């Protein structure tokens, strides 16, 4: 039957192409959204990975993790929590330096916390705690800007001398710059404010219990131990994930309507053909298998095409001015599978009714169909 | 053997037996068959003639299990059509159908049109293709086997349709006005094929036709009128029963 299926599809090239394209566009939307969502999530979770902490504390349900606001008193209270070995308060800000760096990451951290935060000096020295106009650049940022120790780096509306080059081992951190905490707070007019607190638990103590204690004592804050808990602090990612799921469902429904409509038209065109097949002894199930196989071939072809399209779509999104340097699409097997089941799902749902109608045509009525 | 098979009948029995067949269409307005009785012997070439609306095509549809009788009984071979549970199996195994309009699939070649009937049978793909070419050779169309229907003449298309009808070795071939849309040359060729089927393969052929030339090649012609078989003497005519065919279509 395979050859018959292919011959039928080839015989109606326009219809086959239309269905394939509909599937491809739906799959492209779903896979691209999944890749974008993953990319943004990765970027965000990398913030947490810069430190090698046991858990991170952020403001609960902030629209974006970079908008989390914690004050220094809360840092002191968390440091005093039983089982907490160290708690590092960090201010994270972004600067629009130029078109290529619209969201340059700046980290405000006390020099005494650098080692525990996982920072290794590659060149130069750490800045002084109360220094103004001193900055450390991540080695990737220094490379991108072509700056070395002693050079001047302009940011936050002022000049800053590069006193050191550092590495965190996380590309997100190494693409940014570190400033003395009070200096960055002053530049951004948020004295005493922190974005995140990175907590290390005393060896032997339970991370879960200490995190639970922080959650209990600070209902306005939330603890994050895994990437999956990220949504507690970053509502945008939750919304993005929901949008990705919603778009999958919508793509399946809209695609199914398009496929179903096209298949139904095709059914009317092929009524006589189906009647002949039934008259020469084809069973209903064989006819359903024929229609099902045809749509399955188109669904798989459309899904493959859609996955190909999604690479192009993601590449275009990555170079759009508002997203340049921010969006790094992350294509995962899960994203591809989601695309595949979207394609197959819309095709199967769309073809179900036409296939059943074809199967229930009486051969005599089908043969006399004009 | 199929679930639909009743008692295996001796070969001397008529291969088709219709008893008191009635067909009233659903809305009750048309009484197409009125107590029709008919027997067809194995290997017989029977022509059914009659004016339009006399019930010829209805009878053929009933014999092909494309429709069901309102009353009466129809037996074809070992199948009781009134108790048929798998009509698709019956149509695949027992009868071959030839339509007035050939109803070939334009996207398939001649050989593909014959082969598609065998999809889902015990035959392997290679065997199906070989069988399809063998049948096209039997209707003198092997050189045109790879052409598609639009590239064939009316008579050639009808011969492909006959080859298709024979694909699964049916014992009975049912043809509805097979020469109705053909020119006289094509009619002669197609009728020659039907004769060869009867003479060489022993296939029982039932032809519904308006064409008098068809009646000339038939072993017997019955005329239908108002849903009944009309006999010249007004009595039921017992058909001549032939012996087993020398070429029983590979069964």
């Amino acid at each position: 039957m395979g050859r018959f299926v292919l011959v039928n599809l080839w015989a109606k090239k326009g219809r086959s192409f239309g269905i394939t394209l509909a599937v491809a566009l739906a799959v492209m939307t779903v896979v691209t959204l999944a890749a974008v969502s993953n990319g943004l999530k990765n970027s965000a979770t990398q913030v947490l990975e810069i430190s090698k902490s046991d858990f991170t504390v952020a403001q609960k349900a902030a629209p974006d993790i970079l908008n989390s606001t914690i004050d220094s008193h809360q840092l002191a209270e968390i440091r005093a929590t039983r089982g907490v070995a160290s708690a590092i308060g960090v201010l994270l800000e972004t600067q629009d330096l130029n078109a290529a760096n619209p969201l340059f990451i700046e980290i405000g951290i006390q020099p005494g916390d650098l080692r525990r935060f996982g920072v290794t000096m590659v060149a130069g020295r750490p800045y002084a705690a109360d220094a103004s106009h001193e900055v450390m650049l991540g080695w990737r940022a220094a490379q991108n800007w072509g700056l070395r120790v002693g050079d001047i780096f302009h940011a936050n509306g002022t000049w800053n001398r590069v006193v050191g080059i550092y590495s965190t081992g996380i590309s997100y951190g190494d693409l940014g710059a570190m400033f003395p905490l009070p200096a960055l707070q002053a530049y951004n007019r948020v004295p005493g404010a922190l974005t995140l607190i990175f907590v290390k638990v005393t060896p032997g103590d339970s991370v879960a219990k200490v995190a639970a204690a922080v959650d209990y004592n600070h209902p306005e804050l939330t603890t994050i131990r895994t990437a999956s808990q990220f949504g507690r602090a970053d509502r945008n990612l939750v919304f993005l994930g929901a949008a990705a799921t919603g778009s999958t469902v919508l793509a399946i429904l809209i695609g199914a309507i398009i496929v179903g409509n096209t298949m139904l038209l095709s059914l009317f065109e092929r009524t006589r053909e189906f009647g002949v097949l039934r008259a020469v002894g084809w069973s209903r199930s064989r006819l359903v298998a024929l229609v099902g196989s045809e749509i399955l071939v188109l669904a798989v072809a459309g899904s493959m095409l859609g996955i190909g399209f999604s690479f192009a779509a993601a590449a275009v999104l990555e170079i759009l001015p508002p997203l340049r340097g921010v969006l790094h699409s992350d294509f995962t097997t899960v994203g591809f599978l989601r695309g595949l089941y979207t394609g197959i799902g819309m095709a199967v749902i769309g073809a179900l009714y036409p296939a059943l109608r074809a199967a229930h045509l009486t051969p005599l009525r089908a043969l006399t169909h004009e | 053997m199929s679930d639909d098979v009743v008692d295996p009948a001796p070969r001397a029995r008529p291969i088709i037996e219709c008893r008191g067949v009635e067909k009233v269409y659903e809305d009750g307005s048309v009484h197409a068959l009125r107590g029709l009785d008919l027997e067809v012997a194995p290997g017989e070439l029977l022509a059914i003639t009659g004016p339009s609306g006399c019930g010829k095509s209805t009878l053929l549809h009933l014999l092909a299990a494309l429709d069901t009788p309102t009353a009466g009984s129809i037996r074809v071979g070992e199948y009781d059509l009134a108790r048929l549970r798998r009509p698709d199996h019956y149509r695949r195994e027992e009868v071959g159908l030839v339509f007035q309009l050939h109803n070939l699939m334009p996207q398939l070649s001649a050989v593909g049109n014959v082969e598609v009937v065998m999809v889902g049978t015990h035959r392997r793909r290679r065997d199906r293709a070989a069988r399809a070419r063998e049948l096209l050779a039997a209707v003198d169309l092997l050189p045109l086997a790879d052409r598609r229907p639009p590239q064939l003449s009316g008579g050639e298309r009808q011969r492909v349709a006959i080859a298709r009808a024979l694909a699964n070795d049916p014992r009975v071939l049912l043809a509805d006005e097979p020469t109705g849309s053909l020119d006289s040359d094509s009619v002669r060729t197609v009728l020659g094929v039907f004769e060869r089927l009867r003479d060489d393969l022993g296939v029982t052929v039932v032809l519904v036709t308006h064409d008098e030339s068809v009646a000339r090649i038939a072993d017997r012609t019955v005329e239908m009128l108002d849903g009944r078989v009309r006999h010249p003497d007004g009595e039921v005519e017992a058909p001549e029963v032939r012996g087993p065919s020398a070429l029983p279509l590979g069964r």
Side-chain angles (χ1 to χ4, degrees), chain A residues 1 3-4 7-8 11 270 272-273 276-283 286 363-364 367, chain B residues 61 66-67 88 91-92 97 99 101 103 105 107-108 115-117 119-120 125 128 164:
Chain A
M1 191 156 72
R3 198 156 50 103
F4 187 34
V7 168
N8 284 344
R270 299 172 68 189
R272 210 176 173 89
E273 176 186 327
V276 172
L277 289 173
R278 296 278 285 120
V280 298
W282 274 43
S283 61
R286 189 159 299 284
L364 197 55
L367 281 168
Chain B
H61 293 155
L66 293 173
D67 207 347
D88 51 297
R91 287 195 291 268
R92 191 172 64 232
L97 293 176
F99 310 94
L101 298 170
N103 282 332
M105 285 170 230
Q107 70 271 31
L108 297 179
E115 215 183 316
V116 76
V117 182
V119 170
R125 191 175 144 189
R128 292 201 302 258
R164 178 179 65 183

Side-chain angles (χ1 to χ4, degrees), chain B residues 111 115 118 124-134:
Chain B
V111 74
E115 215 183 316
M118 293 180 266
R124 290 179 183 175
R125 191 175 144 189
R126 189 179 297 172
D127 296 340
R128 292 201 302 258
R131 170 72 175 156
R133 288 185 183 276
E134 182 187 317

Side-chain angles (χ1 to χ4, degrees), chain B residues 7 19 22 51 99 101 120 133 140 151-152 172-173 184 202 215 229 233 245:
Chain B
D7 52 329
R19 295 277 175 257
E22 302 266 342
F99 310 94
L101 298 170
R133 288 185 183 276
D140 301 326
Q151 299 167 304
L152 300 172
V172 177
L173 192 69
S184 55
V229 172
D233 53 4
S245 168

Side-chain angles (χ1 to χ4, degrees), chain A residues 116-350:
Chain A
R116 276 177 293 163
F117 193 62
V119 173
T120 307
M121 295 307 298
V122 175
R125 60 167 177 82
Y127 42 68
D130 55 353
S132 54
H133 305 292
E134 284 193 358
V135 65
M136 284 162 49
L137 289 180
W139 69 269
R140 286 177 191 271
Q143 210 167 54
N144 289 348
W145 291 89
L147 295 174
R148 286 186 284 189
V149 173
D151 290 342
I152 299 297
F153 175 67
H154 290 276
N156 301 307
T158 185
W159 62 271
N160 303 276
R161 185 168 301 282
V162 179
V163 295
I165 309 289
Y166 69 85
S167 166
T168 61
I170 304 292
S171 62
Y172 192 77
D174 295 339
L175 280 165
M178 289 188 179
F179 292 85
L181 182 58
L184 193 62
Q185 286 169 334
Y187 290 148
N188 290 281
R189 296 185 181 86
V190 285
L194 301 167
T195 309
L196 300 170
I197 297 171
F198 297 92
V199 177
K200 273 264 187 199
V201 172
T202 313
D205 272 316
S206 159
V207 173
K209 280 186 180 168
V210 176
V214 171
D215 279 328
Y216 182 78
N217 293 333
H218 300 277
E220 72 285 7
L221 303 179
T222 187
T223 56
I224 305 163
R225 278 183 291 146
T226 60
S228 62
Q229 294 175 333
F230 205 78
R232 292 178 182 181
D234 195 320
R235 303 311 295 165
N236 283 348
L237 279 180
V238 174
F239 295 146
L240 194 63
T245 306
S247 70
T248 304
V249 174
L250 273 178
I252 290 177
L253 288 179
I254 295 169
I257 291 169
I258 296 171
V259 171
N261 196 34
T262 314
M263 291 296 287
L264 213 52
L265 284 173
S266 154
L267 169 72
F268 291 129
E269 277 174 28
R270 299 172 68 189
T271 299
R272 210 176 173 89
E273 176 186 327
F274 292 156
V276 172
L277 289 173
R278 296 278 285 120
V280 298
W282 274 43
S283 61
R284 286 197 168 103
S285 56
R286 189 159 299 284
L287 207 55
V288 170
L290 172 72
V291 176
S293 303
E294 287 181 14
I295 196 65
L296 206 59
V297 168
L298 296 181
V300 171
S303 300
M304 296 295 124
L305 195 65
I307 287 171
F309 284 173
S310 66
F311 282 101
V316 169
L317 287 177
E318 283 179 16
I319 57 168
L320 288 178
L323 295 172
R324 190 180 298 158
V326 180
L327 177 64
H328 303 283
S329 308
D330 181 24
F331 289 91
T332 61
T333 311
V334 173
F336 293 143
L337 285 177
R338 182 184 271 201
L340 195 63
Y341 73 63
T342 299
I344 293 174
M346 63 188 267
V348 167
I349 293 171

Side-chain angles (χ1 to χ4, degrees), chain B residues 4 33 40 42 58 60 86 92 98 139 169 180 183 202 214 236 248 250:
Chain B
D4 293 322
L33 297 177
V40 184
T58 300
L60 209 73
R86 293 181 57 195
R92 191 172 64 232
V98 180
V139 294
D169 300 320
D183 59 59
V214 175
V236 175

Side-chain angles (χ1 to χ4, degrees), chain A residues 92-115:
Chain A
L92 296 172
E93 294 290 345
T94 55
Q95 279 281 311
D96 183 359
L97 293 182
N98 55 34
N101 296 275
L103 288 168
F104 184 76
I105 188 89
E106 295 179 339
I107 303 168
I109 183 170
Q110 295 287 23
D113 290 331
L114 288 173
R115 186 186 293 262

